[in-house]
Amino acid sequence: MKKLVLLFFALPCFCISQHTISGTFAPKEQYSKVFLYKTQPDAEDYVTYISYTGLDDEGKIGFSLDEEMQPGMYQLVFGIPRIANHFDFIYDGNEDISFSFKEKEGVTFLSSEENMLLQEYNTRFNEAKQLLTSVFAPDVSKETFTNVFNAIEAVQTTYEAKSEGMLANHFIKTGRIPIPEKKISQKEYNALEKEEFFKNVDFNDPVIKESFYLVNIPISYIFKFSSKNDTQSYMHNIDNAMTAIGDNPYVKKRVLTSVWKNAVADKDMEVANYISNNYLEEISKEQGDIKLLDEIATYKRAGVGAIAPDFNLDDGRKLSDLDNAKHYLLIFWSSTCSHCLKEIPEVKKFLANKDKHTLQVVAFGLENDEHPWKDTIKMYPDFIQVYGAGKWDNATAKEYNITATPTYFVLDADKKIVAKPDSLEDLEKTINTIAK
């Protein structure tokens, strides 16, 4: 009877078995905490927080995975920014997972058939694809050309078979590349690859739709087949990617946001506004992303190519009234900003030999008090000085989305923003170009 009672109480331990993820980080001094997330496309940051843990004296961490955790893609984050300090892994609900992470080498899975097989496939497949770098050379024989693609196809077929019935299979199948029927040129293969790029990707696959993988694929397509010198092609590829994604608004928004921010960073206002006007604003409204909508609106007001938002000067005129120069340098600065007090004298120095009719400086001081602003501006008698009360809360500063000082805008005679130099060095190069 006692044996039956013991067995009765032991049953839950076998039926509700928790699994773990454990690993070692090296060098251990570089890391302190590790955070566990579930990737989730409709979450604000595409992930949902689960738990965190600290490293022990040997650099080891461990998580007990709750029995209610659903199979799918998860993420371990070990630094800031998250995008550069994380790795994803598959949890199928049946395996313990162990790994070793080294700063230079990245993650190596030591247990978990799902993750070890996917990692092995990525390594083998990338090794095979390296052969493509020379296969299109004019002196390569038809036999060599065929053998290289046969080797790639063999790796793909082998790992699709090995992973049959596993979550990893869903990811492995998307890696298949087109195999040409005959020897073709690099240009012809690029066209074939573009045509079939999304052929093996199912954007409604329930396994991979909750991973960053589906976001990275369209982004790769857009940048791989676009040229910065061909705006129409760039925009056409964005359209193709949106068509391929289909009815998956969360993936669309992630892709569009990434590509939009890249266009903004590249100061390509035409592409940035094409993305926002045709896709991103509407989808952001549908998902209630007020922050991104504000960011887009601010960019349209004060991005390269836009007419600079107007404001009153201290002498009764407006910025738009100025007509005495071919270009204007608008500086948002503060008399209490140490970077400004270092850079503004340098600006004055390299502008000393520039004609005012070529370039006029408008210095907009973001201040909480008129002192020491009034004393500081005496050193810059040739600048048009504007006092901006309220500092960061100043309405004009908000209109221009000023988050740091000094911030520079270069305007043409019509007050169109032609450049937003990120540094003093970039500013000097810009000024030297326009003031020739």
Side-chain angles (χ1 to χ4, degrees):
M1 182 65 180
K2 287 183 179 180
K3 290 183 179 179
L4 289 174
V5 172
L6 287 173
L7 180 61
F8 175 79
F9 283 108
L11 279 173
C13 298
F14 293 102
C15 297
I16 308 176
S17 175
Q18 281 190 326
H19 292 286
T20 62
I21 177 167
S22 59
T24 304
F25 285 84
K28 61 184 180 182
E29 297 80 13
Q30 292 288 100
Y31 311 96
S32 57
K33 291 184 175 66
V34 178
F35 297 81
L36 174 63
Y37 292 90
K38 173 75 174 72
T39 58
Q40 188 174 337
D42 57 350
E44 183 177 353
D45 292 320
Y46 216 87
V47 291
T48 300
Y49 170 78
I50 296 176
S51 182
Y52 83 94
T53 187
L55 278 70
D56 66 15
D57 293 339
E58 296 180 349
K60 295 180 179 180
I61 63 102
F63 288 95
S64 291
L65 304 179
D66 192 285
E67 62 269 13
E68 295 182 0
M69 282 178 59
Q70 296 298 309
M73 292 300 295
Y74 289 79
Q75 186 178 100
L76 284 183
V77 178
F78 42 84
I80 299 174
R82 188 183 74 202
I83 194 169
N85 295 279
H86 79 273
F87 65 82
D88 296 338
F89 65 94
I90 297 173
Y91 175 59
D92 66 0
N94 299 312
E95 297 183 311
D96 290 337
I97 302 165
S98 64
F99 66 89
S100 169
F101 184 91
K102 296 181 180 179
E103 185 179 21
K104 293 183 180 180
E105 290 86 356
V107 64
T108 300
F109 290 99
L110 306 175
S111 71
S112 165
E113 189 178 354
E114 291 272 7
N115 291 288
M116 291 173 69
L117 186 64
L118 182 57
Q119 188 165 61
E120 183 183 316
Y121 161 75
N122 287 329
T123 300
R124 291 286 309 280
F125 190 72
N126 288 332
E127 288 173 352
K129 281 187 70 177
Q130 287 298 315
L131 299 172
L132 290 180
T133 57
S134 59
V135 77
F136 295 104
D139 58 344
V140 170
S141 68
K142 291 181 180 179
E143 183 181 9
T144 300
F145 184 92
T146 301
N147 288 341
V148 167
F149 277 101
N150 285 344
I152 294 172
E153 176 70 7
V155 171
Q156 183 68 37
T157 302
T158 297
Y159 281 90
E160 284 186 18
K162 279 186 175 182
S163 62
E164 188 67 38
M166 301 170 65
L167 298 184
N169 181 261
H170 295 253
F171 297 92
I172 290 171
K173 287 191 299 186
T174 66
R176 182 174 287 276
I177 66 171
I179 307 297
E181 297 178 357
K182 61 180 182 178
K183 189 175 186 295
I184 59 177
S185 67
Q186 177 77 69
K187 184 177 180 180
E188 289 172 318
Y189 186 75
N190 287 346
L192 177 63
E193 189 179 16
K194 181 179 180 181
E195 182 183 351
E196 298 190 8
F197 195 86
F198 297 110
K199 183 178 179 180
N200 300 297
V201 182
D202 180 1
F203 284 93
N204 292 309
D205 184 317
V207 174
I208 61 176
K209 72 185 297 184
E210 293 190 352
S211 70
F212 287 99
Y213 196 72
L214 279 189
V215 175
N216 292 334
I217 290 174
I219 291 174
S220 297
Y221 170 86
I222 292 168
F223 292 130
K224 182 179 179 67
F225 300 109
S226 298
S227 169
K228 290 183 180 179
N229 300 321
D230 187 352
T231 300
Q232 291 303 315
S233 172
Y234 200 169
M235 295 188 293
H236 181 64
N237 288 338
I238 292 169
D239 293 340
N240 288 345
M242 293 304 103
T243 300
I245 293 170
D247 186 22
N248 195 323
Y250 296 105
V251 169
K252 277 187 175 179
K253 181 166 176 281
R254 295 288 170 178
V255 171
L256 291 166
T257 302
S258 177
V259 179
W260 178 78
K261 289 187 175 182
N262 185 79
V264 170
D266 283 347
K267 300 175 183 176
D268 191 339
M269 193 171 200
E270 185 177 1
V271 170
N273 287 346
Y274 180 83
I275 294 168
S276 58
N277 292 341
N278 290 278
Y279 299 106
L280 195 51
E281 285 180 294
E282 181 179 353
I283 203 167
S284 296
K285 288 175 184 176
E286 291 172 355
Q287 296 184 23
D289 194 337
I290 304 302
K291 182 179 177 182
L292 183 55
L293 287 168
D294 286 344
E295 193 175 346
I296 292 169
T298 299
Y299 174 75
K300 286 185 174 182
R301 289 195 305 268
V304 173
I307 298 298
D310 211 2
F311 56 84
N312 293 322
L313 306 178
D314 288 354
D315 60 4
R317 294 179 297 170
K318 292 184 177 181
L319 175 69
S320 58
D321 294 330
L322 298 177
D323 60 1
N324 62 317
K326 294 180 180 179
H327 287 89
Y328 298 88
L329 172 58
L330 173 57
I331 307 173
F332 285 90
W333 71 294
S334 174
S335 60
T336 58
C337 161
S338 59
H339 290 293
C340 301
L341 297 178
K342 180 180 179 181
E343 290 192 18
I344 304 303
E346 293 299 316
V347 174
K348 178 184 177 182
K349 187 183 299 183
F350 72 70
L351 292 180
N353 297 322
K354 299 291 188 294
D355 187 346
K356 284 185 185 178
H357 296 297
T358 300
L359 183 74
Q360 173 67 63
V361 178
V362 179
F364 196 108
L366 300 177
E367 310 290 339
N368 286 321
D369 193 278
E370 288 191 350
H371 302 284
W373 178 78
K374 278 189 172 181
D375 293 326
T376 307
I377 63 173
K378 292 175 183 177
M379 295 186 288
Y380 308 99
D382 293 332
F383 293 4
I384 296 174
Q385 300 287 351
V386 182
Y387 179 72
K391 203 163 185 176
W392 304 116
D393 292 327
N394 181 273
T396 301
K398 289 184 176 181
E399 192 81 354
Y400 279 83
N401 194 33
I402 304 301
T403 57
T405 53
T407 296
Y408 305 106
F409 294 82
V410 178
L411 319 178
D412 68 10
D414 297 321
K415 316 307 178 300
K416 183 172 77 173
I417 301 170
V418 296
K420 293 171 66 174
D422 295 324
S423 65
L424 190 63
E425 182 181 5
D426 289 341
L427 174 62
E428 188 168 5
K429 288 179 182 177
T430 302
I431 298 301
N432 288 334
T433 299
I434 66 174
K436 286 183 178 178

